[in-house]
Structures are given as C-alpha cells and as structure tokens.
Amino acid sequence: MTAWGLPVITPVLPTYARADLAFERGEGCYLIADNGQRYLDFGAGVAVNALGHANPGLIAALTEQAGKVWHTSNLYRIPGGEKLAARLVAATFADTMFFTNSGAEALECAIKMARKYQSHNGHPERFHIITFEGAFHGRTLATIAAGGQAKYLEGFGPKVEGFDQVPFGDLAALKVAIGPETGALLIEPVQGEGGVRVAAPEFLRALRALCDEHGLLLIFDEVQTGVGRSGKLFAYQQAGVAPDIMAIAKGIGGGFPVGACLATERAAVGMTAGTHGSTFGGNPLAMAVANAVLDQVLAPGFLERVQQTALRLKQQLAMLKDTYPGIIEEVRGDGLLLGLKTRVPNTEFVAALRDQHLLAIGAGDNVTRILPPLIVGDAELAEGIAAIGAACAALSKKQDAAA
Ligand SMILES: *Cc1c(COP(=O)(O)O)cnc(C)c1O
C-alpha cells in the first residue's frame, strides 16, 4: 500500500513487462490500437494467429457453435473433438490424442504418458526425460523443469524430478546422458523461445534411432512449429522422422485456447479411463474453431504458399542483413518461424520495429522472432520488409551518432 492507501500492485499480476499498447480490433495481418493506429502484426500473438485476425471462417465457426452449446464436459462425447482427432490422425503419425487448453498442458500430458508407458511396460524407474538446453516447454512446475532455464525455475522450490538436460544438437553428450532411468527424449524441432534454433534433420533422425535402440519414447514439442508454421503441417514431416508423442497448441486454435497431445497407440498404452483428464480440454467451442483452422490449413495449395512466402521473406531478410551488417548479425529459421539475431539488444530492436508500426517478438540468444500470420500476402510482406529496413536504418543512424 502507498501512503494514500492505494495498492502499488496492478490489478493484473505484473508478470509481463507489457508494451503500453492495447488493441481494439484486428483485420487479417493488422491490429488496430484503441488510439486508431494500425500495426502490421508479424508476431501473430506468438505464433497463435495463424490465419490472422477476424478470419471470416473462424468467426463463422465460433459464432455458429456459440449458438448451439458451449460446454458439456468430457463426461459425454464431443462430436467436434472426434472429428478433429480423426482429421489429425489422418494427417499425422498419431493414432490418438488428448485435447487441452494450452501448450503446457499438452506437454504435461506428453510427460505423464511417457512415464506411464515405461511403467506399464515394467520400467517404473525409467521416469527421466532428457531435454535440451535453450528449450521452452511451458510454465507449469513440470514444464519449467523440462525447460531447465534457471530464470524460470528460480524461487519456485525444488525442481520437479526426472529431467536431465544436454546441449542442443550434441549427440555425444546425449549418448552419455542416456541411463537406466531414461524413458524418453523431448525436443522442439525448432526452438522458438530459445532463439529460433533449428535442429538439423540428421540430428532428429539420430534421436529416433537412439530411442529405438534404447526403448525410449521420442517426444516432439510442436506447440510453436506446428500447424503450418514450418511450411509443412508439422515440422517433423520435413525431417522425415516421426515422434511417438507430440504436443501442439498455439496455431491449432488460431487464437482460441486449445492444445493437444498426439500419440501412437503404442505410446498411449497406459492412458486408460481415469488416468488423465481436463474439465475444459476439447470443449465444443475450441473444437469448432480448430476444425475451421484445419479447413483452411489443409486446403490444397495453402502450405505450398506458406513455403513460397517464407522463402521470399527469408531472402529479403538476408538482403537487409547485407545492407545493415552492423544491426543484423544472422537470419535463421524455417518457414514463417524466422529469427533475426541482432547486434543491438533485441528489446531495442523490437521497440524500433514498433516505432515503424510492425509487431515482432523477442526470443533467447538476442533474437527477434518474425512470425507473420500464415496468410500474409505479397503487399503485407513488402510493407513488413520496408518497416524492418526502416528500423535498421534508424538504429544505424543512432549507432553512427554515438560513434
Ligand atoms: C508457447 C510454447 C509452450 C507453452 O504453451 P502455453 O500455451 O503458453 O502453455 C510450450 N512449448 C513451446 C515450444 C512453446 O512455444
């Protein structure tokens, strides 16, 4: 309390250093602030708004379902969920899935499923999961332990047991880390929060071989890479290896909170009635929207167009790197999950982009993520590149003035 009896803390828990911007509405790739200013949204709500804002197909699906039934609980069949699951089974390695409200919950299900699989097969001691440095798997107690980042673990008590970590891409270290208690490996095919670090396809194939050799389950966290973001429906399809379990969320709801834990029948063997649950997971509203997202992402030509757009965007970012080598150090990423490693702090870079009315998102390793909606058009791409160029020019000028 202050001397005036006013609380110092904001009514919303201040766990985010928020930009002083509030948006009133969105249109495709644009967000319009409450002061009327338009912003080109190349952050897409952290890879969530895959189909942009106010997408007519998604609005129709949500409002139609809203007029019928919102929620029934998982004590009854949910036809929209059965339909979505069947479509995702047909489109992926998976035989079955559990619906959640978020990425972290999808990962919680994946972690529990891997432990249950080993226990069911007579190896309850194999509850350890090996993860990779720089990982991000969510903010629950188990997923911060899986991510292993000190800044997220600090002060929250003993780290949940059973997560061992090795450097990203280090096969030798991984081989050493696999022990009698190891039951699974968990990796993001492209580390998003960690700084848009792409796992080499050979590395993912080596993980698959190691899992098969040692009786481990391979878990992919495609919460950020999934649902077309990588240019394929899922990034694993690029590497040509399938996991046993996969967590998805972000893009599948296009902005409606929904996630899923996909698995093979073999991996899901222990997950029988009563072993796991969620009150809201897979509710009719979420399922209606996710089915509508799939309608568009699975439409013929959609992913090819994402790939073409991504290639052009990456080329143009590479040209900006050549023009502004004092600002941009490296361009990385796959599909429309691109990252700029900069020579100025990424917080400064994101602010300079915002000055040009372009929204982008910071990540680890001093990277700024460029994550446009997958529907981004040629004119918006050109506008985005111009804005990034203008931000680089402004930052260069500042550097020159300081020198
Ligand atoms: C965002 C993210 C999560 C966590 O998802 P939430 O919906 O915030 O719980 C987990 N893994 C990856 C790779 C992510 O990008």
Side-chain angles (χ1 to χ4, degrees), residues 213-343:
E213 183 186 335
H214 294 276
L216 314 178
L217 293 179
L218 181 58
I219 309 171
F220 283 167
D221 179 348
E222 291 227 29
V223 168
Q224 192 154 159
T225 51
V227 197
R229 181 61 51 191
S230 71
K232 295 278 188 189
L233 186 59
F234 293 102
Y236 81 83
Q237 293 164 328
Q238 205 124 283
V241 287
D244 302 292
I245 301 174
M246 178 170 79
I248 70 171
K250 294 199 165 95
I252 187 64
F256 199 94
V258 52
C261 173
L262 284 67
T264 61
E265 184 170 14
R266 184 178 75 97
V269 63
M271 303 302 284
T272 51
T275 55
H276 195 51
S278 167
T279 297
F280 292 125
N283 103 347
L285 293 173
M287 297 297 96
V289 176
N291 271 305
V293 168
L294 274 195
D295 288 346
Q296 294 184 40
V297 174
L298 292 178
F302 184 91
L303 291 171
E304 287 74 11
R305 174 152 165 84
V306 171
Q307 287 164 23
Q308 287 158 10
T309 306
L311 194 67
R312 279 218 312 284
L313 177 56
K314 201 174 182 182
Q315 282 167 347
Q316 289 174 25
L317 291 172
M319 282 164 65
L320 285 180
K321 169 184 169 284
D322 293 342
T323 310
Y324 300 103
I327 305 294
I328 301 175
E329 185 180 335
E330 193 188 330
V331 180
R332 356 169 133 156
D334 247 354
L336 288 175
L337 173 44
L338 295 173
L340 300 176
K341 187 171 163 72
T342 55
R343 296 185 196 278

Side-chain angles (χ1 to χ4, degrees), residues 76-322:
Y76 311 98
R77 291 176 51 198
I78 298 174
E82 291 174 5
K83 178 178 167 190
L84 179 66
R87 296 173 83 188
L88 285 171
V89 161
T92 68
F93 74 95
D95 302 312
T96 187
M97 68 201 58
F98 180 86
F99 292 116
T100 68
N101 311 290
S102 68
E105 286 171 278
L107 265 305
E108 285 277 341
C109 179
I111 293 163
K112 286 176 72 176
M113 187 184 285
R115 289 182 173 194
K116 194 73 161 182
Y117 166 86
Q118 294 296 357
S119 160
H120 182 91
N121 287 305
H123 293 290
E125 77 287 358
R126 291 196 188 175
F127 66 92
H128 279 242
I129 297 178
I130 298 178
T131 66
F132 295 86
E133 285 170 18
F136 182 80
H137 299 298
R139 299 297 200 109
T140 62
L141 287 170
T143 55
I144 57 175
Q149 299 208 36
K151 63 180 176 183
Y152 297 143
L153 287 159
E154 172 59 33
F156 293 120
K159 187 178 155 200
V160 169
E161 228 193 307
F163 296 96
D164 308 310
Q165 208 160 45
V166 299
F168 189 69
D170 189 338
L171 204 55
L174 174 61
K175 285 178 180 166
V176 172
I178 294 173
E181 294 189 328
T182 307
L185 310 182
L186 165 59
I187 190 167
E188 298 153 87
V190 180
Q191 286 189 342
E193 308 295 314
V196 192
R197 297 160 79 203
V198 181
E202 318 75 89
F203 185 67
L204 296 179
R205 286 195 283 273
L207 296 189
R208 179 72 271 174
L210 275 176
C211 285
D212 295 343
E213 183 186 335
H214 294 276
L216 314 178
L217 293 179
L218 181 58
I219 309 171
F220 283 167
D221 179 348
E222 291 227 29
V223 168
Q224 192 154 159
T225 51
V227 197
R229 181 61 51 191
S230 71
K232 295 278 188 189
L233 186 59
F234 293 102
Y236 81 83
Q237 293 164 328
Q238 205 124 283
V241 287
D244 302 292
I245 301 174
M246 178 170 79
I248 70 171
K250 294 199 165 95
I252 187 64
F256 199 94
V258 52
C261 173
L262 284 67
T264 61
E265 184 170 14
R266 184 178 75 97
V269 63
M271 303 302 284
T272 51
T275 55
H276 195 51
S278 167
T279 297
F280 292 125
N283 103 347
L285 293 173
M287 297 297 96
V289 176
N291 271 305
V293 168
L294 274 195
D295 288 346
Q296 294 184 40
V297 174
L298 292 178
F302 184 91
L303 291 171
E304 287 74 11
R305 174 152 165 84
V306 171
Q307 287 164 23
Q308 287 158 10
T309 306
L311 194 67
R312 279 218 312 284
L313 177 56
K314 201 174 182 182
Q315 282 167 347
Q316 289 174 25
L317 291 172
M319 282 164 65
L320 285 180
K321 169 184 169 284
D322 293 342

